[in-house]
Coordinates of all heavy atoms in Angstrom, one line a residue:
S1 N -0.2 3.4 -20.4 CA 0.9 2.8 -19.6 C 1.1 3.6 -18.3 O 1.4 3.0 -17.3 CB 2.2 2.8 -20.4 OG 2.5 4.1 -20.8
R2 N 0.9 4.9 -18.3 CA 1.0 5.6 -17.1 C -0.1 5.3 -16.0 O 0.2 5.2 -14.9 CB 0.9 7.2 -17.4 CG 1.3 8.0 -16.2 CD 1.3 9.5 -16.5 NE -0.1 9.9 -16.5 CZ -0.6 11.0 -17.1 NH1 0.2 11.8 -17.7 NH2 -1.9 11.3 -17.1
F3 N -1.3 5.0 -16.5 CA -2.3 4.7 -15.7 C -2.1 3.3 -15.0 O -2.2 3.1 -13.8 CB -3.7 4.7 -16.4 CG -4.9 4.3 -15.5 CD1 -5.3 5.3 -14.6 CD2 -5.4 3.0 -15.5 CE1 -6.4 4.9 -13.8 CE2 -6.4 2.7 -14.7 CZ -7.0 3.5 -13.8
I4 N -1.7 2.4 -15.8 CA -1.4 1.0 -15.4 C -0.3 1.1 -14.4 O -0.3 0.4 -13.3 CB -1.1 0.0 -16.6 CG1 -2.4 -0.2 -17.4 CG2 -0.6 -1.3 -16.0 CD1 -2.3 -0.8 -18.7
R5 N 0.8 1.8 -14.7 CA 1.9 1.9 -13.7 C 1.4 2.5 -12.4 O 1.9 2.0 -11.3 CB 3.0 2.8 -14.3 CG 4.3 2.8 -13.5 CD 5.0 4.1 -13.7 NE 6.3 4.1 -12.9 CZ 6.4 4.5 -11.7 NH1 5.2 4.8 -11.0 NH2 7.5 4.5 -11.0
G6 N 0.6 3.5 -12.4 CA 0.1 4.1 -11.3 C -0.7 3.2 -10.4 O -0.7 3.2 -9.2
F7 N -1.5 2.3 -11.2 CA -2.4 1.3 -10.5 C -1.5 0.4 -9.8 O -1.7 0.0 -8.6 CB -3.2 0.7 -11.5 CG -4.4 -0.1 -10.9 CD1 -5.4 0.6 -10.3 CD2 -4.4 -1.5 -11.1 CE1 -6.5 -0.2 -9.8 CE2 -5.5 -2.2 -10.5 CZ -6.5 -1.5 -9.9
F8 N -0.4 -0.1 -10.4 CA 0.5 -1.1 -9.8 C 1.2 -0.4 -8.6 O 1.4 -1.1 -7.6 CB 1.6 -1.5 -10.8 CG 1.2 -2.8 -11.6 CD1 0.3 -2.7 -12.7 CD2 1.7 -4.0 -11.3 CE1 -0.1 -3.8 -13.3 CE2 1.3 -5.2 -12.0 CZ 0.4 -5.1 -13.0
N9 N 1.7 0.8 -8.8 CA 2.4 1.5 -7.7 C 1.5 1.7 -6.5 O 1.9 1.4 -5.3 CB 2.9 2.9 -8.2 CG 3.7 3.6 -7.2 OD1 4.6 2.9 -6.5 ND2 3.5 4.8 -7.0
T10 N 0.3 2.1 -6.7 CA -0.7 2.2 -5.6 C -0.9 0.8 -4.9 O -0.8 0.7 -3.6 CB -2.0 2.7 -6.0 OG1 -1.8 4.0 -6.7 CG2 -3.0 2.8 -4.9
Y11 N -1.0 -0.2 -5.6 CA -1.2 -1.6 -5.1 C 0.1 -1.9 -4.2 O -0.1 -2.4 -3.1 CB -1.4 -2.6 -6.2 CG -1.1 -4.0 -5.7 CD1 -2.1 -4.6 -4.8 CD2 -0.1 -4.8 -6.1 CE1 -1.8 -5.9 -4.3 CE2 0.1 -6.0 -5.7 CZ -0.7 -6.6 -4.8 OH -0.5 -7.9 -4.3
Y12 N 1.3 -1.8 -4.8 CA 2.5 -2.2 -4.1 C 2.6 -1.3 -2.7 O 3.0 -1.9 -1.8 CB 3.7 -2.0 -5.0 CG 3.8 -3.1 -6.0 CD1 4.1 -2.7 -7.3 CD2 3.5 -4.4 -5.8 CE1 4.2 -3.6 -8.3 CE2 3.6 -5.3 -6.8 CZ 3.9 -5.0 -8.1 OH 4.0 -5.9 -9.0
L13 N 2.4 0.0 -2.9 CA 2.5 0.8 -1.6 C 1.5 0.3 -0.6 O 1.8 0.3 0.6 CB 2.3 2.2 -2.0 CG 3.4 2.9 -2.8 CD1 3.1 4.4 -3.1 CD2 4.7 2.9 -1.9
T14 N 0.3 0.0 -1.0 CA -0.7 -0.4 0.0 C -0.3 -1.7 0.7 O -0.4 -1.9 1.9 CB -2.1 -0.6 -0.7 OG1 -2.4 0.6 -1.4 CG2 -3.2 -1.0 0.3
V15 N 0.2 -2.7 -0.1 CA 0.7 -4.0 0.5 C 1.9 -3.7 1.3 O 1.9 -4.3 2.5 CB 1.0 -5.0 -0.6 CG1 1.7 -6.2 -0.1 CG2 -0.3 -5.4 -1.4
I16 N 2.7 -2.8 0.9 CA 3.9 -2.5 1.7 C 3.6 -2.0 3.1 O 4.3 -2.2 4.1 CB 4.9 -1.7 0.9 CG1 5.6 -2.4 -0.2 CG2 5.9 -1.0 1.8 CD1 6.3 -1.6 -1.2
F17 N 2.5 -1.3 3.1 CA 2.1 -0.7 4.4 C 1.1 -1.5 5.2 O 1.2 -1.5 6.5 CB 1.5 0.7 4.2 CG 2.5 1.7 3.9 CD1 2.5 2.3 2.6 CD2 3.5 2.1 4.8 CE1 3.5 3.2 2.2 CE2 4.4 3.1 4.4 CZ 4.4 3.6 3.1
T18 N 0.3 -2.4 4.6 CA -0.6 -3.1 5.4 C -0.1 -4.5 5.8 O -0.4 -5.0 6.8 CB -1.9 -3.4 4.6 OG1 -1.7 -4.0 3.3 CG2 -2.7 -2.1 4.3
A19 N 0.7 -5.2 5.0 CA 1.2 -6.5 5.3 C 2.1 -6.6 6.6 O 1.8 -7.4 7.4 CB 1.9 -7.1 4.1
P20 N 3.0 -5.6 6.8 CA 3.8 -5.6 8.0 C 2.9 -5.4 9.3 O 3.2 -6.0 10.4 CB 4.8 -4.5 7.9 CG 4.8 -4.2 6.5 CD 3.5 -4.6 5.9
V21 N 2.0 -4.6 9.2 CA 1.0 -4.3 10.3 C 0.4 -5.6 10.7 O 0.3 -6.0 11.9 CB 0.1 -3.2 10.0 CG1 -0.9 -3.0 11.1 CG2 0.8 -1.9 9.8
A22 N -0.2 -6.3 9.7 CA -0.9 -7.5 10.0 C 0.1 -8.6 10.5 O -0.2 -9.3 11.4 CB -1.6 -8.1 8.7
A23 N 1.3 -8.6 9.9 CA 2.3 -9.6 10.4 C 2.8 -9.4 11.8 O 2.9 -10.3 12.6 CB 3.6 -9.5 9.4
I24 N 2.9 -8.1 12.2 CA 3.3 -7.8 13.6 C 2.1 -8.3 14.5 O 2.4 -8.8 15.6 CB 3.6 -6.3 13.7 CG1 5.0 -6.1 13.0 CG2 3.7 -6.0 15.2 CD1 5.3 -4.6 12.9
S25 N 0.9 -8.0 14.1 CA -0.2 -8.5 14.9 C -0.2 -9.9 15.1 O -0.5 -10.4 16.2 CB -1.5 -7.9 14.4 OG -1.9 -8.5 13.3
Y26 N 0.1 -10.7 14.1 CA 0.1 -12.1 14.2 C 1.3 -12.6 15.1 O 1.1 -13.6 15.9 CB 0.2 -12.8 12.9 CG -1.2 -12.9 12.1 CD1 -1.6 -12.0 11.2 CD2 -2.1 -13.9 12.5 CE1 -2.8 -12.1 10.5 CE2 -3.4 -14.0 11.9 CZ -3.7 -13.1 10.9 OH -4.9 -13.2 10.3
A27 N 2.4 -11.9 15.0 CA 3.5 -12.3 15.7 C 3.2 -12.1 17.2 O 3.6 -12.9 18.1 CB 4.7 -11.5 15.3
M28 N 2.5 -10.9 17.5 CA 2.2 -10.6 18.9 C 1.2 -11.6 19.5 O 1.1 -11.8 20.7 CB 1.7 -9.2 19.0 CG 2.8 -8.2 18.8 SD 2.3 -6.5 18.7 CE 1.2 -6.2 20.0
A29 N 0.3 -12.2 18.6 CA -0.7 -13.2 19.0 C 0.0 -14.6 19.1 O -0.8 -15.5 19.3 CB -1.8 -13.2 18.0
G30 N 1.2 -14.7 18.7 CA 1.8 -16.0 18.8 C 1.7 -16.8 17.6 O 2.1 -18.0 17.6
R31 N 1.3 -16.3 16.5 CA 1.1 -17.0 15.2 C 2.3 -16.7 14.3 O 2.2 -15.9 13.4 CB -0.2 -16.6 14.5 CG -1.4 -16.9 15.3 CD -1.8 -18.4 15.2 NE -3.0 -18.6 15.9 CZ -4.0 -19.4 15.5 NH1 -3.8 -20.0 14.3 NH2 -5.0 -19.6 16.1
L32 N 3.5 -17.3 14.7 CA 4.7 -16.9 14.0 C 4.7 -17.3 12.6 O 5.3 -16.6 11.7 CB 5.9 -17.5 14.8 CG 6.0 -16.8 16.2 CD1 7.2 -17.4 16.9 CD2 6.2 -15.3 16.1
V33 N 4.2 -18.5 12.3 CA 4.2 -19.0 10.9 C 3.5 -18.0 10.0 O 4.0 -17.7 8.9 CB 3.7 -20.4 10.8 CG1 3.5 -20.9 9.3 CG2 4.5 -21.4 11.6
Y34 N 2.3 -17.6 10.5 CA 1.6 -16.7 9.6 C 2.2 -15.3 9.5 O 2.2 -14.7 8.5 CB 0.1 -16.6 10.2 CG -0.9 -16.2 9.1 CD1 -1.2 -17.0 8.1 CD2 -1.5 -14.9 9.2 CE1 -2.1 -16.7 7.2 CE2 -2.4 -14.6 8.2 CZ -2.7 -15.4 7.2 OH -3.6 -15.1 6.2
A35 N 2.8 -14.9 10.6 CA 3.6 -13.6 10.6 C 4.7 -13.7 9.5 O 4.9 -12.7 8.8 CB 4.2 -13.3 12.0
V36 N 5.4 -14.8 9.5 CA 6.5 -14.9 8.5 C 5.9 -15.0 7.1 O 6.5 -14.3 6.2 CB 7.3 -16.2 8.7 CG1 8.2 -16.6 7.6 CG2 8.1 -16.1 10.1

């Protein structure tokens, strides 16, 4: 259970840091729907 929890935590942290960066880049490129 500790390993699985750690796996989930790592996944969520990675998405939390990569998704906004990609979203901002799409917003700057004028692709607002995709940014949202």
